[in-house]
Amino acid sequence: MIQKRQFEDETAGKLIAAGMQLFGEFGFKGTTTRMIASEAHSNIGSIAYYFGNKRNLYLAIIRHIADRMREQFDLDMMKKGQLPEGLTQEEARLALRRIVKDMIRTFIADDEASCWLLLVMREQAHPTEAFDILYEEVFDMVYKFLGSLIAILIDIDERDTRVTLEAHTLVGQIVFFLVGRIPLLRRLENKNGYDAELIDLVEKTILSHIDFYVNNSFQSDTKVE
Amino acid sequence: MIQKRQFEDETAGKLIAAGMQLFGEFGFKGTTTRMIASEAHSNIGSIAYYFGNKRNLYLAIIRHIADRMREQFDLDMMKKGQLPEGLTQEEARLALRRIVKDMIRTFIADDEASCWLLLVMREQAHPTEAFDILYEEVFDMVYKFLGSLIAILIDIDERDTRVTLEAHTLVGQIVFFLVGRIPLLRRLENKNGYDAELIDLVEKTILSHIDFYVNNSFQSDTKVE
DNA sequence: TGCGAGTTTAATCAAATGATTATATGTTCG
DNA sequence: CGAACATATAATCATTTGATTAAACTCGCA
């Protein structure tokens, strides 16, 4: 009665992996159950067998992504230092640099993570119930975590709207190197996608925007006026 | 033989407007010809009559968007000062601030432009032939224009990869306030979308990242190492 | 008024799609 | 082995979709 779990997980897992890639690339409606079954070297009936229907498979994939992201961020962010409090500016700056490096590597260089992010982007553009899962499990935490570090850097209460906006800006910088990679790579005449050298330059570019927080700790909105 | 042009344009225009909104919201496959016809208060047969088929309507919409964007950017960027050359840092900084303000207002506050951008984002994620139109008509020019200003600000040759990366970063910051608006607004508990006060704060946030270029003119990549 | 080109509409068709079902295959245990 | 159960597969069904078609409508003009 408990046997075959391994094989069951095998097929279900292949369906999730295939669906993640295809949903990310073509969207929910653009991906057919036949495409998923074919990509997974499985059968269309197995989708119903394991997940009931197409939408339930989609939701299972979203939950899977949320788990993986939490795992990634829990390990790489929370665990290594817990929620930052009472850090010095320099400690916060270094922590933020580390996280941003991880995010860049994860989202730009890692093929599977690219699928996640593309899928998550689509879900944001037209949120369904799957969005609630992602928001509560992931987004809110990212805002909270990045915000707590940025708050230290620019010396503003972390509940201030401006802190959230800066966190959002930072995420936007990173994400757009994946979402907008096609025109960027064409502009740079880089036929073969991101190579090590380019990723390095991207990293430096985004990190410099973090260091900027320290250099002029947010006199900007008084100065700019 | 020339009469009725006005009425013809009427229907074709309504189809383009409806398609722009729906394609942006649901993607190409997620939008049915019946949805478009209904939204345009027209008939499914009119799509074939004016555009031949669904994909041709999509391409017509892409060309329409490219025209509108060029128009917008030609007027607001190129025309008012032509391609920047020999500007002082301060002039370049002010020019860049003006453009970024325009882009924020256009892409975040303007409903129709939001449709454009969402549609363009989808096209980037999975480029078809429509992408070529957008790249040649719009993207390349945006990189070129923003790059030429940023090059002056950070005092690096405008053909340097880092200049393009900074331009890309800047666009990413702006675009993500549209593409990622749902989680941002939920985080801020702003039920009613972007209000004037919030847009103002977004503007200040992004502008401060421009001013940063001047304050520390790109010693970052030597300092960071 | 009635002709005729331009335009709109509803009906229809073939292909694709999500879902279902019945059958086949394989594995475990008595 | 063979009964019982879990899983896989192919065939089938109802619906949706893009496209096509034929008929109807509009309006300028003779």
Side-chain angles (χ1 to χ4, degrees), chain A residues 4 7-8 11 29 43 46 49-50:
Chain A
K4 294 332 245 20
F7 198 28
E8 169 185 326
T11 297
K29 289 211 65 172
N43 184 281
S46 297
Y49 182 75
Y50 285 108

Side-chain angles (χ1 to χ4, degrees), chain B residues 72-142:
Chain B
Q72 180 101 17
F73 293 149
D74 277 337
L75 285 177
D76 291 352
M77 294 169 135
M78 297 309 209
K79 292 284 169 61
K80 298 181 182 177
Q82 299 303 326
L83 245 192
E85 212 171 323
L87 295 184
T88 67
Q89 278 206 346
E90 182 61 13
E91 285 167 342
R93 177 178 152 271
L94 290 177
L96 200 53
R97 285 177 62 96
R98 253 196 52 68
I99 293 154
V100 167
K101 277 187 182 181
D102 282 346
M103 289 176 77
I104 293 172
R105 304 284 160 177
T106 302
F107 287 136
I108 297 176
D110 182 297
D111 276 346
E112 197 197 302
S114 303
C115 297
W116 302 358
L117 191 51
L118 254 13
L119 212 161
V120 169
M121 285 297 101
R122 289 180 179 279
E123 189 58 41
Q124 287 191 46
H126 193 60
T128 66
E129 59 179 311
F131 174 79
D132 293 332
I133 299 173
L134 286 170
Y135 182 80
E136 278 154 37
E137 303 273 319
V138 180
F139 297 159
D140 199 54
M141 214 190 68
V142 170

Side-chain angles (χ1 to χ4, degrees), chain B residues 18-61:
Chain B
M20 189 157 59
Q21 183 195 319
L22 292 169
F23 283 135
E25 188 164 1
F26 302 103
F28 182 76
K29 289 211 65 170
T31 303
T32 70
T33 52
R34 284 164 181 80
M35 287 162 69
I36 297 171
S38 168
E39 177 74 22
H41 300 288
S42 178
N43 184 280
I44 181 180
S46 297
I47 293 174
Y49 182 76
Y50 286 108
F51 302 98
N53 56 37
K54 183 186 177 186
R55 172 148 288 273
N56 276 8
L57 168 60
Y58 180 75
L59 289 176
I61 289 171

Side-chain angles (χ1 to χ4, degrees), chain A residues 47-60:
Chain A
I47 294 175
Y49 182 75
Y50 285 108
F51 302 98
N53 56 37
K54 183 186 176 186
R55 171 147 288 274
N56 276 8
L57 168 60
Y58 180 74
L59 289 176

